[in-house]
Amino acid sequence: MAMELSMESSGVGELDLEECSNSNKAKRRKKKPISNREEEKEKDVNVIGRSKKRKKKEGTKTSLHSATTSPYYNKFDEAYERKTADNTWKPPQSEFGFLHNHAHDPWRVLVICTLLNRTAGTRAERVVADLFTLCPDAKAATGVATEEIERAIKSLGLQKRRAKMVQRLSKDYLQEDWTHVTQLPGVGKYAADAYAIFCTGKWEQVRPNDHMLNRYWEYLCSTKNALS
């Protein structure tokens, strides 16, 4: 009798253990609920992620005369070679822009392109006359006080940085060791294309991106027979 009770008691214990084990497994299968704090944290992460994507997308916008270049742009292309003494190219007059009015001095063309960076052409035109009265050539630009250049171009904004760039460009321009205009500080594709079009006459070897420069380039294409 005692043996039977012992066996029955043992069976009940095993059943209890089995039920307990099954209950624990069921609990583990249940998905752990997310607290309110965790939900808020997850929302914040999503908001920050969307904000970063939006800023990254906005950051891809470029200015009119930015450093963005064509995949075919080669800084040491023949089109950007330094103008030689026997080069007599004179760009024809047109209604497109005013760079051709200063093509007799390549330094002026480069300075104008520097000032046109992130600036409307009409605003730059009003400043150019005052600047070239103060600094008629590269040598004069290196000798005048930086503050005077700043005052002359103040209406364009960023006058301190622009004035330093003008003087740095002028100093290097006067050196004899550069072979391509793209070696000069501040000269990107826009200024280099302008140099080739207005100063050396190698306009057929470039394809400008700037819309005003491109209009003059197309004008040259339309009058190619008359130029040759």
Side-chain angles (χ1 to χ4, degrees), residues 174-201:
L174 293 172
Q175 304 302 314
E176 298 294 335
D177 58 350
W178 60 276
T179 59
H180 292 73
V181 69
T182 47
Q183 293 175 282
L184 299 175
V187 176
K189 178 172 170 56
Y190 169 62
D193 285 346
Y195 183 87
I197 293 171
F198 294 102
C199 304
T200 63

PDB file of all heavy atoms in Angstrom, residues 174-201:
ATOM      1  N   LEU A 174      51.783  86.039 -62.285  1.00  0.00           N
ATOM      2  CA  LEU A 174      52.996  86.733 -62.726  1.00  0.00           C
ATOM      3  C   LEU A 174      54.218  85.816 -62.801  1.00  0.00           C
ATOM      4  O   LEU A 174      55.240  86.189 -63.378  1.00  0.00           O
ATOM      5  CB  LEU A 174      53.299  87.899 -61.782  1.00  0.00           C
ATOM      6  CG  LEU A 174      52.288  89.057 -61.806  1.00  0.00           C
ATOM      7  CD1 LEU A 174      52.584  90.043 -60.689  1.00  0.00           C
ATOM      8  CD2 LEU A 174      52.305  89.759 -63.164  1.00  0.00           C
ATOM      9  N   GLN A 175      54.107  84.630 -62.227  1.00  0.00           N
ATOM     10  CA  GLN A 175      55.223  83.684 -62.265  1.00  0.00           C
ATOM     11  C   GLN A 175      55.350  83.051 -63.653  1.00  0.00           C
ATOM     12  O   GLN A 175      54.397  83.011 -64.431  1.00  0.00           O
ATOM     13  CB  GLN A 175      55.029  82.593 -61.205  1.00  0.00           C
ATOM     14  CG  GLN A 175      54.860  83.120 -59.788  1.00  0.00           C
ATOM     15  CD  GLN A 175      56.036  83.977 -59.336  1.00  0.00           C
ATOM     16  OE1 GLN A 175      57.197  83.604 -59.524  1.00  0.00           O
ATOM     17  NE2 GLN A 175      55.742  85.125 -58.743  1.00  0.00           N
ATOM     18  N   GLU A 176      56.521  82.541 -63.940  1.00  0.00           N
ATOM     19  CA  GLU A 176      56.789  81.957 -65.256  1.00  0.00           C
ATOM     20  C   GLU A 176      56.723  80.432 -65.264  1.00  0.00           C
ATOM     21  O   GLU A 176      56.879  79.813 -66.322  1.00  0.00           O
ATOM     22  CB  GLU A 176      58.186  82.394 -65.739  1.00  0.00           C
ATOM     23  CG  GLU A 176      58.354  83.894 -65.916  1.00  0.00           C
ATOM     24  CD  GLU A 176      57.492  84.454 -67.036  1.00  0.00           C
ATOM     25  OE1 GLU A 176      57.154  83.679 -67.956  1.00  0.00           O
ATOM     26  OE2 GLU A 176      57.154  85.651 -66.993  1.00  0.00           O
ATOM     27  N   ASP A 177      56.481  79.828 -64.112  1.00  0.00           N
ATOM     28  CA  ASP A 177      56.589  78.370 -64.028  1.00  0.00           C
ATOM     29  C   ASP A 177      55.293  77.612 -64.321  1.00  0.00           C
ATOM     30  O   ASP A 177      55.298  76.384 -64.353  1.00  0.00           O
ATOM     31  CB  ASP A 177      57.121  77.957 -62.652  1.00  0.00           C
ATOM     32  CG  ASP A 177      56.243  78.458 -61.515  1.00  0.00           C
ATOM     33  OD1 ASP A 177      55.345  79.283 -61.781  1.00  0.00           O
ATOM     34  OD2 ASP A 177      56.456  78.032 -60.365  1.00  0.00           O
ATOM     35  N   TRP A 178      54.186  78.305 -64.519  1.00  0.00           N
ATOM     36  CA  TRP A 178      52.950  77.573 -64.814  1.00  0.00           C
ATOM     37  C   TRP A 178      52.778  77.403 -66.326  1.00  0.00           C
ATOM     38  O   TRP A 178      53.077  78.293 -67.108  1.00  0.00           O
ATOM     39  CB  TRP A 178      51.725  78.253 -64.195  1.00  0.00           C
ATOM     40  CG  TRP A 178      51.435  79.665 -64.631  1.00  0.00           C
ATOM     41  CD1 TRP A 178      51.976  80.808 -64.132  1.00  0.00           C
ATOM     42  CD2 TRP A 178      50.519  80.069 -65.659  1.00  0.00           C
ATOM     43  NE1 TRP A 178      51.465  81.912 -64.774  1.00  0.00           N
ATOM     44  CE2 TRP A 178      50.554  81.487 -65.717  1.00  0.00           C
ATOM     45  CE3 TRP A 178      49.669  79.392 -66.530  1.00  0.00           C
ATOM     46  CZ2 TRP A 178      49.775  82.225 -66.607  1.00  0.00           C
ATOM     47  CZ3 TRP A 178      48.890  80.129 -67.423  1.00  0.00           C
ATOM     48  CH2 TRP A 178      48.954  81.525 -67.454  1.00  0.00           C
ATOM     49  N   THR A 179      52.317  76.235 -66.704  1.00  0.00           N
ATOM     50  CA  THR A 179      52.151  75.906 -68.125  1.00  0.00           C
ATOM     51  C   THR A 179      50.690  75.849 -68.547  1.00  0.00           C
ATOM     52  O   THR A 179      50.375  75.996 -69.723  1.00  0.00           O
ATOM     53  CB  THR A 179      52.803  74.549 -68.436  1.00  0.00           C
ATOM     54  OG1 THR A 179      52.188  73.537 -67.618  1.00  0.00           O
ATOM     55  CG2 THR A 179      54.297  74.590 -68.153  1.00  0.00           C
ATOM     56  N   HIS A 180      49.809  75.605 -67.568  1.00  0.00           N
ATOM     57  CA  HIS A 180      48.373  75.535 -67.842  1.00  0.00           C
ATOM     58  C   HIS A 180      47.643  76.458 -66.866  1.00  0.00           C
ATOM     59  O   HIS A 180      48.000  76.526 -65.683  1.00  0.00           O
ATOM     60  CB  HIS A 180      47.850  74.106 -67.690  1.00  0.00           C
ATOM     61  CG  HIS A 180      48.372  73.166 -68.736  1.00  0.00           C
ATOM     62  ND1 HIS A 180      49.680  72.719 -68.736  1.00  0.00           N
ATOM     63  CD2 HIS A 180      47.768  72.593 -69.817  1.00  0.00           C
ATOM     64  CE1 HIS A 180      49.855  71.901 -69.768  1.00  0.00           C
ATOM     65  NE2 HIS A 180      48.718  71.812 -70.440  1.00  0.00           N
ATOM     66  N   VAL A 181      46.644  77.125 -67.355  1.00  0.00           N
ATOM     67  CA  VAL A 181      45.919  78.083 -66.525  1.00  0.00           C
ATOM     68  C   VAL A 181      45.260  77.407 -65.324  1.00  0.00           C
ATOM     69  O   VAL A 181      45.025  78.037 -64.286  1.00  0.00           O
ATOM     70  CB  VAL A 181      44.866  78.829 -67.379  1.00  0.00           C
ATOM     71  CG1 VAL A 181      43.735  77.890 -67.794  1.00  0.00           C
ATOM     72  CG2 VAL A 181      44.325  80.040 -66.639  1.00  0.00           C
ATOM     73  N   THR A 182      44.989  76.128 -65.438  1.00  0.00           N
ATOM     74  CA  THR A 182      44.359  75.375 -64.349  1.00  0.00           C
ATOM     75  C   THR A 182      45.289  75.174 -63.156  1.00  0.00           C
ATOM     76  O   THR A 182      44.851  74.706 -62.108  1.00  0.00           O
ATOM     77  CB  THR A 182      43.904  74.000 -64.865  1.00  0.00           C
ATOM     78  OG1 THR A 182      44.972  73.403 -65.616  1.00  0.00           O
ATOM     79  CG2 THR A 182      42.689  74.128 -65.761  1.00  0.00           C
ATOM     80  N   GLN A 183      46.548  75.526 -63.302  1.00  0.00           N
ATOM     81  CA  GLN A 183      47.488  75.422 -62.187  1.00  0.00           C
ATOM     82  C   GLN A 183      47.390  76.620 -61.243  1.00  0.00           C
ATOM     83  O   GLN A 183      47.937  76.588 -60.142  1.00  0.00           O
ATOM     84  CB  GLN A 183      48.926  75.311 -62.727  1.00  0.00           C
ATOM     85  CG  GLN A 183      49.214  74.024 -63.489  1.00  0.00           C
ATOM     86  CD  GLN A 183      50.601  74.016 -64.104  1.00  0.00           C
ATOM     87  OE1 GLN A 183      50.840  74.640 -65.136  1.00  0.00           O
ATOM     88  NE2 GLN A 183      51.523  73.322 -63.456  1.00  0.00           N
ATOM     89  N   LEU A 184      46.700  77.646 -61.676  1.00  0.00           N
ATOM     90  CA  LEU A 184      46.572  78.855 -60.866  1.00  0.00           C
ATOM     91  C   LEU A 184      45.474  78.689 -59.815  1.00  0.00           C
ATOM     92  O   LEU A 184      44.467  78.014 -60.066  1.00  0.00           O
ATOM     93  CB  LEU A 184      46.257  80.056 -61.764  1.00  0.00           C
ATOM     94  CG  LEU A 184      47.319  80.392 -62.816  1.00  0.00           C
ATOM     95  CD1 LEU A 184      46.838  81.526 -63.715  1.00  0.00           C
ATOM     96  CD2 LEU A 184      48.636  80.763 -62.145  1.00  0.00           C
ATOM     97  N   PRO A 185      45.643  79.296 -58.648  1.00  0.00           N
ATOM     98  CA  PRO A 185      44.644  79.156 -57.573  1.00  0.00           C
ATOM     99  C   PRO A 185      43.299  79.770 -57.953  1.00  0.00           C
ATOM    100  O   PRO A 185      43.242  80.838 -58.557  1.00  0.00           O
ATOM    101  CB  PRO A 185      45.288  79.906 -56.398  1.00  0.00           C
ATOM    102  CG  PRO A 185      46.247  80.859 -57.031  1.00  0.00           C
ATOM    103  CD  PRO A 185      46.772  80.153 -58.240  1.00  0.00           C
ATOM    104  N   GLY A 186      42.242  79.060 -57.618  1.00  0.00           N
ATOM    105  CA  GLY A 186      40.899  79.565 -57.877  1.00  0.00           C
ATOM    106  C   GLY A 186      40.388  79.335 -59.283  1.00  0.00           C
ATOM    107  O   GLY A 186      39.264  79.726 -59.611  1.00  0.00           O
ATOM    108  N   VAL A 187      41.193  78.702 -60.129  1.00  0.00           N
ATOM    109  CA  VAL A 187      40.790  78.475 -61.522  1.00  0.00           C
ATOM    110  C   VAL A 187      40.247  77.058 -61.674  1.00  0.00           C
ATOM    111  O   VAL A 187      40.991  76.083 -61.611  1.00  0.00           O
ATOM    112  CB  VAL A 187      41.971  78.692 -62.493  1.00  0.00           C
ATOM    113  CG1 VAL A 187      41.552  78.348 -63.924  1.00  0.00           C
ATOM    114  CG2 VAL A 187      42.458  80.127 -62.411  1.00  0.00           C
ATOM    115  N   GLY A 188      38.934  76.963 -61.871  1.00  0.00           N
ATOM    116  CA  GLY A 188      38.284  75.682 -62.122  1.00  0.00           C
ATOM    117  C   GLY A 188      37.884  75.586 -63.583  1.00  0.00           C
ATOM    118  O   GLY A 188      38.387  76.331 -64.431  1.00  0.00           O
ATOM    119  N   LYS A 189      36.962  74.703 -63.875  1.00  0.00           N
ATOM    120  CA  LYS A 189      36.549  74.492 -65.267  1.00  0.00           C
ATOM    121  C   LYS A 189      35.939  75.749 -65.874  1.00  0.00           C
ATOM    122  O   LYS A 189      36.203  76.072 -67.038  1.00  0.00           O
ATOM    123  CB  LYS A 189      35.557  73.329 -65.357  1.00  0.00           C
ATOM    124  CG  LYS A 189      35.038  73.093 -66.780  1.00  0.00           C
ATOM    125  CD  LYS A 189      34.229  71.829 -66.892  1.00  0.00           C
ATOM    126  CE  LYS A 189      33.514  71.743 -68.236  1.00  0.00           C
ATOM    127  NZ  LYS A 189      34.437  71.844 -69.388  1.00  0.00           N
ATOM    128  N   TYR A 190      35.125  76.454 -65.108  1.00  0.00           N
ATOM    129  CA  TYR A 190      34.465  77.654 -65.639  1.00  0.00           C
ATOM    130  C   TYR A 190      35.489  78.690 -66.101  1.00  0.00           C
ATOM    131  O   TYR A 190      35.446  79.171 -67.239  1.00  0.00           O
ATOM    132  CB  TYR A 190      33.544  78.242 -64.570  1.00  0.00           C
ATOM    133  CG  TYR A 190      33.014  79.613 -64.904  1.00  0.00           C
ATOM    134  CD1 TYR A 190      32.212  79.818 -66.021  1.00  0.00           C
ATOM    135  CD2 TYR A 190      33.314  80.712 -64.098  1.00  0.00           C
ATOM    136  CE1 TYR A 190      31.724  81.083 -66.338  1.00  0.00           C
ATOM    137  CE2 TYR A 190      32.829  81.974 -64.398  1.00  0.00           C
ATOM    138  CZ  TYR A 190      32.033  82.149 -65.520  1.00  0.00           C
ATOM    139  OH  TYR A 190      31.560  83.400 -65.826  1.00  0.00           O
ATOM    140  N   ALA A 191      36.434  79.032 -65.231  1.00  0.00           N
ATOM    141  CA  ALA A 191      37.453  80.026 -65.574  1.00  0.00           C
ATOM    142  C   ALA A 191      38.385  79.508 -66.668  1.00  0.00           C
ATOM    143  O   ALA A 191      38.801  80.265 -67.551  1.00  0.00           O
ATOM    144  CB  ALA A 191      38.258  80.397 -64.329  1.00  0.00           C
ATOM    145  N   ALA A 192      38.707  78.218 -66.616  1.00  0.00           N
ATOM    146  CA  ALA A 192      39.600  77.636 -67.622  1.00  0.00           C
ATOM    147  C   ALA A 192      38.952  77.650 -69.004  1.00  0.00           C
ATOM    148  O   ALA A 192      39.607  77.948 -70.013  1.00  0.00           O
ATOM    149  CB  ALA A 192      39.971  76.209 -67.225  1.00  0.00           C
ATOM    150  N   ASP A 193      37.661  77.338 -69.057  1.00  0.00           N
ATOM    151  CA  ASP A 193      36.944  77.385 -70.336  1.00  0.00           C
ATOM    152  C   ASP A 193      36.889  78.814 -70.867  1.00  0.00           C
ATOM    153  O   ASP A 193      37.048  79.053 -72.071  1.00  0.00           O
ATOM    154  CB  ASP A 193      35.526  76.838 -70.164  1.00  0.00           C
ATOM    155  CG  ASP A 193      35.494  75.322 -70.046  1.00  0.00           C
ATOM    156  OD1 ASP A 193      36.517  74.681 -70.355  1.00  0.00           O
ATOM    157  OD2 ASP A 193      34.449  74.780 -69.640  1.00  0.00           O
ATOM    158  N   ALA A 194      36.644  79.769 -69.971  1.00  0.00           N
ATOM    159  CA  ALA A 194      36.601  81.178 -70.378  1.00  0.00           C
ATOM    160  C   ALA A 194      37.957  81.613 -70.929  1.00  0.00           C
ATOM    161  O   ALA A 194      38.036  82.354 -71.916  1.00  0.00           O
ATOM    162  CB  ALA A 194      36.206  82.048 -69.188  1.00  0.00           C
ATOM    163  N   TYR A 195      39.019  81.151 -70.304  1.00  0.00           N
ATOM    164  CA  TYR A 195      40.383  81.466 -70.754  1.00  0.00           C
ATOM    165  C   TYR A 195      40.615  80.920 -72.164  1.00  0.00           C
ATOM    166  O   TYR A 195      41.163  81.612 -73.033  1.00  0.00           O
ATOM    167  CB  TYR A 195      41.376  80.854 -69.768  1.00  0.00           C
ATOM    168  CG  TYR A 195      42.836  81.145 -70.047  1.00  0.00           C
ATOM    169  CD1 TYR A 195      43.436  82.304 -69.558  1.00  0.00           C
ATOM    170  CD2 TYR A 195      43.621  80.251 -70.771  1.00  0.00           C
ATOM    171  CE1 TYR A 195      44.788  82.568 -69.792  1.00  0.00           C
ATOM    172  CE2 TYR A 195      44.966  80.503 -71.012  1.00  0.00           C
ATOM    173  CZ  TYR A 195      45.542  81.664 -70.521  1.00  0.00           C
ATOM    174  OH  TYR A 195      46.875  81.922 -70.760  1.00  0.00           O
ATOM    175  N   ALA A 196      40.178  79.685 -72.393  1.00  0.00           N
ATOM    176  CA  ALA A 196      40.359  79.061 -73.708  1.00  0.00           C
ATOM    177  C   ALA A 196      39.513  79.757 -74.775  1.00  0.00           C
ATOM    178  O   ALA A 196      39.948  79.918 -75.923  1.00  0.00           O
ATOM    179  CB  ALA A 196      39.995  77.581 -73.636  1.00  0.00           C
ATOM    180  N   ILE A 197      38.327  80.182 -74.397  1.00  0.00           N
ATOM    181  CA  ILE A 197      37.412  80.798 -75.360  1.00  0.00           C
ATOM    182  C   ILE A 197      37.811  82.235 -75.690  1.00  0.00           C
ATOM    183  O   ILE A 197      37.887  82.618 -76.863  1.00  0.00           O
ATOM    184  CB  ILE A 197      35.967  80.764 -74.816  1.00  0.00           C
ATOM    185  CG1 ILE A 197      35.468  79.318 -74.747  1.00  0.00           C
ATOM    186  CG2 ILE A 197      35.037  81.605 -75.686  1.00  0.00           C
ATOM    187  CD1 ILE A 197      34.143  79.158 -74.022  1.00  0.00           C
ATOM    188  N   PHE A 198      38.078  83.027 -74.652  1.00  0.00           N
ATOM    189  CA  PHE A 198      38.300  84.457 -74.859  1.00  0.00           C
ATOM    190  C   PHE A 198      39.770  84.856 -75.011  1.00  0.00           C
ATOM    191  O   PHE A 198      40.059  85.891 -75.616  1.00  0.00           O
ATOM    192  CB  PHE A 198      37.694  85.251 -73.697  1.00  0.00           C
ATOM    193  CG  PHE A 198      36.204  85.165 -73.621  1.00  0.00           C
ATOM    194  CD1 PHE A 198      35.590  84.334 -72.700  1.00  0.00           C
ATOM    195  CD2 PHE A 198      35.404  85.908 -74.474  1.00  0.00           C
ATOM    196  CE1 PHE A 198      34.207  84.244 -72.628  1.00  0.00           C
ATOM    197  CE2 PHE A 198      34.017  85.828 -74.416  1.00  0.00           C
ATOM    198  CZ  PHE A 198      33.414  84.991 -73.492  1.00  0.00           C
ATOM    199  N   CYS A 199      40.675  84.054 -74.470  1.00  0.00           N
ATOM    200  CA  CYS A 199      42.084  84.470 -74.442  1.00  0.00           C
ATOM    201  C   CYS A 199      42.980  83.757 -75.445  1.00  0.00           C
ATOM    202  O   CYS A 199      43.875  84.383 -76.023  1.00  0.00           O
ATOM    203  CB  CYS A 199      42.651  84.282 -73.035  1.00  0.00           C
ATOM    204  SG  CYS A 199      41.724  85.159 -71.760  1.00  0.00           S
ATOM    205  N   THR A 200      42.767  82.471 -75.633  1.00  0.00           N
ATOM    206  CA  THR A 200      43.660  81.723 -76.529  1.00  0.00           C
ATOM    207  C   THR A 200      42.989  81.292 -77.829  1.00  0.00           C
ATOM    208  O   THR A 200      43.667  80.834 -78.747  1.00  0.00           O
ATOM    209  CB  THR A 200      44.213  80.471 -75.820  1.00  0.00           C
ATOM    210  OG1 THR A 200      43.123  79.589 -75.499  1.00  0.00           O
ATOM    211  CG2 THR A 200      44.946  80.855 -74.541  1.00  0.00           C
ATOM    212  N   GLY A 201      41.662  81.402 -77.901  1.00  0.00           N
ATOM    213  CA  GLY A 201      40.963  81.031 -79.130  1.00  0.00           C
ATOM    214  C   GLY A 201      40.805  79.538 -79.332  1.00  0.00           C
ATOM    215  O   GLY A 201      40.458  79.083 -80.426  1.00  0.00           O
TER     216      GLY A 201
END
